[in-house]
């Protein structure tokens, strides 16, 4: 059902789940146990969630069409060998998924999918492969784009060699991005770009800054998994002072002008190195001021408010770089 809220169509929300490793105790912060993963997939099946291909969701966003209720997409970054463990579970539930490949490593390095496994996954009918860079470096934190362009060319060349087609989508290494890199990907013909900003997806989502809900480490607990599925998108009109590289540190304010502001209350703002804090408010502007100089190379910023009509939390996150 499409709802009309404060004069604007609310056309459904999708959750893109992001995984990395499966059942790999060597890397507890980026892995999910196989027991938890299977329980999560079972929950999606039993609760009537509609698990669709990433390409299907992107088409809905491009056309501005309604996203069906309880829509979920499953993505896995890097292409570690443990992806094959996840595949055995996903095959049992007949859930499609997308693997964003670290192109230098797959089929070559011991911890990554072998050529035989890539071939089996490709032939399964469940898997879409897409680009996650060649060398997996933090390009989004670098102002110069020369190294990124070289890496992009190498990743596309190997992708073409492996699969015979060009990649359509790009997942940013470490989730880092800036305006220059996203513009390069747009000009290069990528249809969508994926971050590691938390958040769900709706008709307001920027195709070149699509958030995903990371299900890793302590974030892979079932209560958090359910919570992520139930989040709404907080519609942002303007970012203050903007995402990407900061011109001034500290900025006078950090926050956002939100749409349909009368619908939202109990707003809070998150900054990685400062944590959550109750936000100040001036009309539609939700913000924090009186900030200290920010010390980290990057911070993830988030605004979260309660939707008074649905009683759900709505959130939006973005990246700032010093």
């Amino acid at each position: 059902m499409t709802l009309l809220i404060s004069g604007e169509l609310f056309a459904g929300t999708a959750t893109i789940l992001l995984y990395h490793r499966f059942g790999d105790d060597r890397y507890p912060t980026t892995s999910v146990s196989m027991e938890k993963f299977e329980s999560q997939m079972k929950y999606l099946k039993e609760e009537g969630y509609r698990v669709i291909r990433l390409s299907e969701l992107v088409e809905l966003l491009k056309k501005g069409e309604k996203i069906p209720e309880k829509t979920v997409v499953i993505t896995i970054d890097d292409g570690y060998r443990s992806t094959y463990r996840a595949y055995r579970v996903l095959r049992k539930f007949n859930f499609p998924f997308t693997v964003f490949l670290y192109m230098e490593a797959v089929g070559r390095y011991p911890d990554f999918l072998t050529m035989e496994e890539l071939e089996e996954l490709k032939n399964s009918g469940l898997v879409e492969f897409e680009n996650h860079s060649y060398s997996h470096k933090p390009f989004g934190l670098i102002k110069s784009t020369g190294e990124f362009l070289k890496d992009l060319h190498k990743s596309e060349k190997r992708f073409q060699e492996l699969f015979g087609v060009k990649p359509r989508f790009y997942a940013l290494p470490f989730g880092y991005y800036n305006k220059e890199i996203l513009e390069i990907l747009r000009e290069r013909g990528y249809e969508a770009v994926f971050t590691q900003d938390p958040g769900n997806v709706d008709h307001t989502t920027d195709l070149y800054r699509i958030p995903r809900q990371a299900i890793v480490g302590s974030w892979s607990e079932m209560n958090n998994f359910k919570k992520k599925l139930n989040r709404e998108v907080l519609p942002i009109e303007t970012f203050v002072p903007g995402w990407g590289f900061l011109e001034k540190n500290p900025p006078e304010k950090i926050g956002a002008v939100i749409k349909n502001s009368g619908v939202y209350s109990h707003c809070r703002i998150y900054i990685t190195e400062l944590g959550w804090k109750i936000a100040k408010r001036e009309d539609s502007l939700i913000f924090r001021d009186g900030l200290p100089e920010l010390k980290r190379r990057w911070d993830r910023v988030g605004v979260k408010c309660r939707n008074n009509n649905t009683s759900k939390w709505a959130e939006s996150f973005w990246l700032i770089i010093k």
Side-chain angles (χ1 to χ4, degrees):
M1 179 179 179
T2 303
L3 303 178
L4 190 65
I5 299 178
S6 297
E8 184 168 317
L9 286 175
F10 177 75
T13 302
T15 301
I16 305 176
L17 301 172
L18 165 60
Y19 294 94
H20 285 82
R21 294 179 170 95
F22 301 85
D24 193 337
D25 295 336
R26 297 172 301 166
Y27 303 96
T29 60
T30 56
S31 186
V32 58
S33 74
M34 292 308 301
E35 294 78 14
K36 287 178 183 173
F37 181 64
E38 185 150 5
S39 293
Q40 290 162 5
M41 298 304 103
K42 184 179 179 184
Y43 179 83
L44 294 178
K45 178 69 80 173
E46 291 179 346
E47 295 298 317
Y49 281 87
R50 180 174 177 266
V51 180
I52 66 172
R53 296 179 182 277
L54 184 61
S55 55
E56 186 178 343
L57 177 60
V58 170
E59 285 304 308
L60 291 174
L61 295 174
K62 286 166 63 176
K63 295 175 181 177
E65 294 181 359
K66 181 184 184 297
I67 299 172
E69 291 181 18
K70 303 181 83 170
T71 292
V72 168
V73 170
I74 298 167
T75 66
I76 302 171
D77 278 8
D78 301 315
Y80 293 110
R81 287 290 303 272
S82 65
T83 300
Y84 194 82
R85 297 175 189 164
Y87 162 61
R88 289 198 293 261
V89 173
L90 292 163
R91 181 177 58 190
K92 182 164 68 175
F93 289 97
N94 198 35
F95 285 167
F97 62 104
T98 296
V99 184
F100 285 100
L101 295 173
Y102 172 5
M103 298 307 304
E104 181 181 27
V106 292
R108 292 172 175 167
Y109 299 164
D111 248 10
F112 290 80
L113 291 165
T114 65
M115 295 301 294
E116 293 77 15
E117 288 165 340
L118 283 172
E119 188 67 18
E120 182 179 347
L121 292 176
K122 183 173 72 171
N123 293 333
S124 71
L126 291 178
V127 189
E128 295 178 327
F129 292 113
E130 294 296 344
N131 195 359
H132 192 36
S133 84
Y134 186 81
S135 60
H136 202 278
K137 293 180 180 178
F139 301 109
L141 303 184
I142 305 168
K143 288 192 174 181
S144 170
T145 59
E147 188 176 2
F148 175 68
L149 281 164
K150 291 177 184 176
D151 186 274
L152 189 60
H153 175 73
K154 289 175 73 175
S155 68
E156 291 171 347
K157 184 172 183 287
R158 183 146 200 257
F159 194 98
Q160 183 86 36
E161 290 169 354
L162 287 177
F163 304 112
V165 294
K166 294 180 179 180
R168 298 172 58 191
F169 310 142
Y170 190 96
L172 298 145
F174 306 100
Y176 300 149
Y177 56 89
N178 60 58
K179 291 180 174 65
E180 289 74 19
I181 278 180
L182 296 190
E183 186 56 34
I184 287 169
L185 291 168
R186 186 195 303 270
E187 291 174 354
R188 196 81 163 198
Y190 284 87
E191 297 173 42
V193 178
F194 298 83
T195 74
Q196 292 187 30
D197 294 336
N200 288 343
V201 176
D202 72 1
H203 67 293
T204 68
T205 299
D206 182 349
L207 278 168
Y208 291 87
R209 216 172 41 82
I210 297 178
R212 296 181 289 168
Q213 301 283 13
I215 309 297
V216 295
S218 61
W219 293 354
S220 65
E221 298 296 332
M222 185 58 82
N223 61 343
N224 183 66
F225 180 80
K226 293 177 182 178
K227 188 185 298 181
K228 296 297 185 184
L229 292 171
N230 205 37
R231 287 282 193 258
E232 293 180 1
V233 179
L234 185 68
I236 302 293
E237 189 170 305
T238 308
F239 298 94
V240 178
W243 52 266
F245 290 104
L246 283 180
E247 294 182 2
K248 179 183 177 183
N249 186 13
E252 289 182 17
K253 297 176 181 177
I254 288 181
V257 176
I258 62 174
K259 300 177 182 178
N260 303 324
S261 59
V263 171
Y264 298 103
S265 64
H266 300 85
C267 296
R268 305 170 186 175
I269 291 190
Y270 175 81
I271 302 170
T272 302
E273 62 190 271
L274 302 177
W276 285 102
K277 188 174 181 180
I278 294 174
K280 294 183 178 180
R281 188 163 188 161
E282 292 177 356
D283 297 322
S284 299
L285 173 63
I286 310 298
F287 69 97
R288 288 173 67 167
D289 59 6
L291 299 163
E293 182 179 351
L294 300 173
K295 303 296 185 182
R296 288 171 56 102
R297 180 74 187 278
W298 60 269
D299 276 287
R300 191 156 272 121
V301 178
V303 179
K304 179 171 68 173
C305 302
R306 185 180 291 279
N307 185 327
N308 298 324
N309 290 341
T310 64
S311 297
K312 291 185 178 182
W313 285 99
E315 63 185 8
S316 183
F317 285 79
W318 61 97
L319 195 73
I320 56 174
I321 310 163
K322 277 71 81 180

